[in-house]
Amino acid sequence: MEEIYRPIWVSILGNVLLSLLKLAVGFMYSSIALISDGVHSLSDVITSVIGYAGIRISSKPPDKSHPFGHSRFEPLVAFLIGEALIIVTYEIGRDAVYRIIEGGATEVNSIMLGVTLLSILSKELMFRYSVHIGRKINSQILVADAYHHRSDALSSVAVLIGLGAQELGFMYGDSIAGLVVSVFLLKVSLDIILENVRYLTGQAPPFEVCEEIKKTALSVPNVLGVHDLRAHYVGSKLHVELHIEVSPGLSLKEAHDVSEEVKRVIESLPEVEVAFVHVDIKGVTE
């Protein structure tokens, strides 16, 4: 199995097991907190399936309808996952407010606390695994899916605090914790959405990335200068166009070989998918 798909399958299988466990214990002991947390985990299964489909589509080779490939599908799906996180954020905040208004208490036992602790540990491990692989291979879908794991872990933390607070007699502990979690999740959701809007709209990379591209091109022998560098995101990868200057003493073949080497070294950079290199003769005005 390819490395990019492993976190997705771990996510799907892990969330199915956790959601069934939470729902079973929640219904057994009439715990609204665990039932809602189980539904939250079940929603993660849906987003992971969407993420899997997005990775499969974005990895397809270029075709007639998408001559530059399908890489934009990856940030599109990541954007949708960010939108899903906002919905989760709203639901957590709404439930917290309702609990404050309506009141009510749940009889807490060690099984409920144990299931909640297991959920926190499992989701945190899934988060760390997915975000590690996502950043390693620059997959926005895996990073977005990882933060969905973190959102579930945090909602379970809120449940744990709430159950513990109710055990100690503080009725509104779970609600206050839920509101704190919802504010944090809102920030994470907006970060994911804004990051992938940048990829979807073809925004230029940061100044430092452009300087690295120039430096890489200038490292090739016989490249005397670089100008008219343009780069933009196509999905999560860069398409780069630049002009290099070479000596008028080079033959046509030598100049071509230089441009091919520049193309090769630039495309070896992690963020770059393809580079288009134009050759100019030093001192010659077009």
Side-chain angles (χ1 to χ4, degrees):
M1 184 186 298
E2 294 182 35
E3 186 176 30
I4 192 171
Y5 296 117
R6 290 175 190 150
I8 294 292
W9 282 112
V10 169
S11 174
I12 293 172
L13 294 175
N15 282 319
V16 167
L17 293 174
L18 283 174
S19 62
L20 291 176
L21 182 60
K22 291 176 189 177
L23 289 171
V25 175
F27 281 114
M28 185 181 299
Y29 297 103
S30 301
S31 170
I32 296 177
L34 278 177
I35 292 172
S36 62
D37 205 28
V39 172
H40 185 185
S41 294
L42 198 59
S43 73
D44 286 352
V45 177
I46 298 172
T47 58
S48 294
V49 170
I50 293 173
Y52 176 81
I55 291 173
R56 295 287 295 184
I57 294 171
S58 65
S59 62
K60 291 172 61 178
D63 54 31
K64 288 184 178 180
S65 60
H66 297 86
F68 289 98
H70 300 75
S71 57
R72 278 199 175 100
F73 281 94
E74 182 171 344
L76 175 61
V77 172
F79 174 86
L80 295 175
I81 291 175
E83 295 283 350
L85 274 173
I86 284 188
I87 295 173
V88 172
T89 300
Y90 165 75
E91 290 176 347
I92 292 175
R94 181 197 60 190
D95 290 346
V97 172
Y98 282 171
R99 288 173 188 173
I100 291 174
I101 294 173
E102 296 175 359
T106 302
E107 186 176 344
V108 181
N109 59 50
S110 58
I111 295 178
M112 296 165 63
L113 293 174
V115 168
T116 306
L117 279 171
L118 176 63
S119 174
I120 294 169
L121 293 174
S122 300
K123 297 299 291 188
E124 183 63 20
L125 288 173
M126 291 163 69
F127 163 77
R128 291 177 182 273
Y129 178 53
S130 293
V131 82
H132 170 72
I133 300 298
R135 288 173 178 168
K136 177 182 174 182
I137 63 179
N138 194 30
S139 171
Q140 295 306 309
I141 288 180
L142 288 184
V143 172
D145 195 48
Y147 279 100
H148 217 145
H149 294 319
R150 173 59 64 81
S151 78
D152 204 5
L154 289 173
S155 69
S156 294
V157 169
V159 171
L160 183 65
I161 293 174
L163 294 176
Q166 286 184 180
E167 181 71 4
L168 296 173
F170 183 54
M171 182 181 296
Y172 301 114
D174 59 338
S175 303
I176 294 173
L179 287 175
V180 172
V181 170
S182 66
V183 171
F184 176 81
L185 289 180
L186 179 61
K187 180 183 182 303
V188 171
S189 305
L190 292 176
D191 286 345
I192 291 173
I193 289 170
L194 293 176
E195 175 74 8
N196 287 283
V197 163
R198 181 165 69 97
Y199 293 137
L200 289 168
T201 55
Q203 184 176 330
F207 174 79
E208 295 78 9
V209 174
C210 291
E211 289 300 302
E212 179 65 21
I213 293 171
K214 287 182 181 179
K215 181 180 176 181
T216 301
L218 288 169
S219 70
V220 176
N222 293 315
V223 175
L224 305 179
V226 175
H227 61 92
D228 292 341
L229 169 64
R230 295 190 301 174
H232 69 281
Y233 284 101
V234 178
S236 58
K237 294 290 187 179
L238 286 172
H239 283 202
V240 178
E241 180 181 347
L242 76 161
H243 290 242
I244 61 171
E245 295 179 347
V246 300
S247 169
L250 293 182
S251 67
L252 183 60
K253 181 181 183 307
E254 289 171 332
H256 174 74
D257 290 343
V258 171
S259 70
E260 286 297 303
E261 178 62 13
V262 170
K263 175 180 173 67
R264 186 191 69 80
V265 296
I266 290 177
E267 289 180 352
S268 69
L269 296 173
E271 285 195 75
V272 178
E273 182 175 43
V274 63
F276 303 95
V277 182
H278 305 273
V279 180
D280 296 334
I281 306 301
K282 183 74 171 179
V284 176
T285 305
E286 296 183 356

